[in-house]
Amino acid sequence: PDRIAVTSIASFDPQGDNGTEHEDQVLQALDGNTGTAWRSEQYGDPEKMAGKDGVGLILTLDGTHDVGQVDVRSPEGGWSAQVYVVDGDAPTDLAGWGEPAASVQGAAAGLTRFAPIDARGDHVLVWFTRTADSGEVAVSELAVRAP
């Protein structure tokens, strides 16, 4: 499926200190280099994540699109995540994103494909609800694809 252009990326940490998490690294999830990665902070317990519901990355698309799949490449396994799609302004809290369009539990290292997704919008949230076994989330590449 054709790749949808992403115009910006931002971290999403609504329960964190300032609403972001390692914002200075987010472009490493879109740089085409699997040797670089956005990494969350280190959490002692992969399940509890310091009492947070999760942490994520928001992708802004170059317009409203039908979204068919989201590819997440990570050098580590064990993480779980959900994908949300909205049209219009990106919500500032998780509830505003509605219901997840897809989810994966206990992903393996390497490429994880969230599909099929049957959603239309201009913002995609990849929301990690469990870190990798190491206690952090690492995303080396992200791609949003048409159906």
Side-chain angles (χ1 to χ4, degrees):
D2 290 341
R3 195 172 180 141
I4 298 170
V6 174
T7 58
S8 68
I9 183 172
S11 63
F12 183 64
D13 188 10
Q15 296 170 312
D17 306 343
N18 61 6
T20 66
E21 186 146 343
H22 294 177
E23 190 69 20
D24 59 323
Q25 299 174 9
V26 295
L27 289 175
Q28 294 181 35
L30 289 176
D31 64 3
N33 179 355
T34 57
T36 63
W38 168 82
R39 293 181 181 274
S40 72
E41 58 186 80
Q42 187 78 34
Y43 294 99
D45 182 333
E47 297 285 343
K48 294 191 173 67
M49 294 181 66
K52 293 186 205 178
D53 294 331
V55 64
L57 292 168
I58 297 173
L59 304 166
T60 303
L61 309 179
D62 69 347
T64 300
H65 292 271
D66 290 322
V67 176
Q69 72 187 49
V70 174
D71 296 339
V72 177
R73 189 171 291 280
S74 176
E76 300 181 45
W79 53 270
S80 297
Q82 299 165 330
V83 169
Y84 296 81
V85 180
V86 298
D87 202 32
D89 294 335
T92 57
D93 64 356
L94 187 63
W97 287 86
E99 292 299 313
S103 63
V104 168
Q105 303 291 318
L111 176 64
T112 299
R113 180 159 286 148
F114 290 79
I117 294 174
D118 180 17
R120 183 167 176 80
D122 61 0
H123 287 89
V124 174
L125 168 63
V126 181
W127 179 248
F128 297 93
T129 56
R130 184 193 191 280
T131 69
D133 297 333
S134 66
E136 70 179 3
V137 174
V139 178
S140 55
E141 284 302 307
L142 287 169
V144 180
R145 298 187 185 278

